Amino acid sequence: MSMINFKELIDAGLHFGHQKSRWCPKMQPYIWGHRGGVHLIDISKTAHALQKTAAFLETVVARGETVLWVGTKKPAKDVIMQAGLATHMPYVNYRWVGGTITNYQQVKKAVTKLMHYDDILAKSTRENSPYTKKEIARIQKLADRLRRSIGGLKALAMPIGAVIMIDVKKENTALLEAV
C-alpha cells in the first residue's frame, strides 16, 4: 500500500470543515486550526485514518467478501456509482431499499426481474418481436425504475464484509440493517 499524498488531500479540499459556529466538541482532536471562520481539519490524522481503512478493506476483499457502497446524497451519487463500478462491487446511489440486507431474497427476485426485462428489451429490437410498442414502452418504464433503485445491486453477494456510507445520518436505515 502506498503512502497517501498530503498535497492531493489538500488540493481536493479535504481540510475544510464546518463553520466555527457549527462545530461539534467531539471533533476537537481532529481540528488543526481555523481560517476565515471555517475549521481546518488535521490532514495527517485524516491520512492515517484513510490508511487504516484501506488496510481493513483489503483484508475484507482478500477474504472474498463484498463491500457495499452507499451514498444517496446528490453530491455523492456519481462518486458512489464510479467507485462501485471501478471495484466491481455493489452500490446504492438512488434510494436505500428497505430490507436490502435483511431481506436479501426479495432483492434477488427484483434483480432477476430486472434482468428478465433487460432480456425482453434486447430481444424487442428484432422485427418479429411478440410484444407491441405499448408493451415495450411499459416494460422499458418498469426496467428503468428497477434499474434506478436496484441496478447497482446486481453484483450483491452475501456475506457483506463492509458497508461504506456517505452521511450515516441520511442513510440511517442502511446503518440499522448493516449492524
Side-chain angles (χ1 to χ4, degrees):
M1 182 178 357
S2 64
M3 184 71 182
I4 294 177
N5 187 349
F6 285 24
K7 182 157 176 36
E8 288 178 12
L9 295 178
I10 291 172
D11 290 343
L14 202 63
H15 61 293
F16 291 116
H18 284 295
Q19 296 173 341
K20 281 178 62 179
S21 61
R22 292 185 55 192
W23 84 303
C24 176
K26 291 180 181 178
M27 288 299 293
Q28 178 65 44
Y30 305 102
I31 295 175
W32 177 75
H34 60 86
R35 177 193 254 172
V38 175
H39 279 130
L40 300 175
I41 297 172
D42 189 351
I43 292 293
S44 63
K45 291 183 180 177
T46 303
H48 178 69
L50 285 173
Q51 284 185 323
K52 282 177 54 176
T53 304
F56 168 73
L57 290 175
E58 282 179 5
T59 59
V60 167
V61 172
R63 288 191 307 243
E65 295 175 340
T66 306
V67 176
L68 178 61
W69 298 81
V70 181
T72 59
K73 293 176 95 173
K74 279 189 180 181
K77 284 183 176 194
D78 293 335
V79 175
I80 288 293
M81 186 173 79
Q82 290 170 359
L85 293 174
T87 58
H88 305 291
M89 294 287 175
Y91 62 92
V92 175
N93 68 340
Y94 176 67
R95 176 179 91 78
W96 179 262
V97 178
T100 299
I101 297 174
T102 56
N103 199 1
Y104 178 64
Q105 298 84 3
Q106 290 302 113
V107 172
K108 263 311 200 198
K109 285 181 187 176
V111 168
T112 304
K113 187 184 292 188
L114 173 62
M115 293 168 68
H116 176 68
Y117 288 156
D118 286 342
D119 236 14
I120 290 171
L121 292 172
K123 291 177 182 174
S124 72
T125 56
R126 299 183 305 203
E127 288 183 24
N128 58 356
S129 174
Y131 299 99
T132 63
K133 275 184 165 180
K134 186 174 181 178
E135 289 173 329
I136 294 297
R138 184 181 57 81
I139 291 171
Q140 181 69 50
K141 187 176 178 182
L142 291 170
D144 288 344
R145 186 178 300 147
L146 272 175
R147 195 173 294 112
R148 194 172 51 230
S149 59
I150 60 155
L153 296 175
K154 284 183 180 178
L156 183 62
M158 294 296 180
I160 296 176
V163 179
I164 298 175
M165 287 184 212
I166 307 296
D167 192 0
V168 292
K169 282 186 179 178
K170 182 163 174 41
E171 310 300 344
N172 187 33
T173 311
L175 179 66
L176 291 173
E177 280 193 46
V179 188

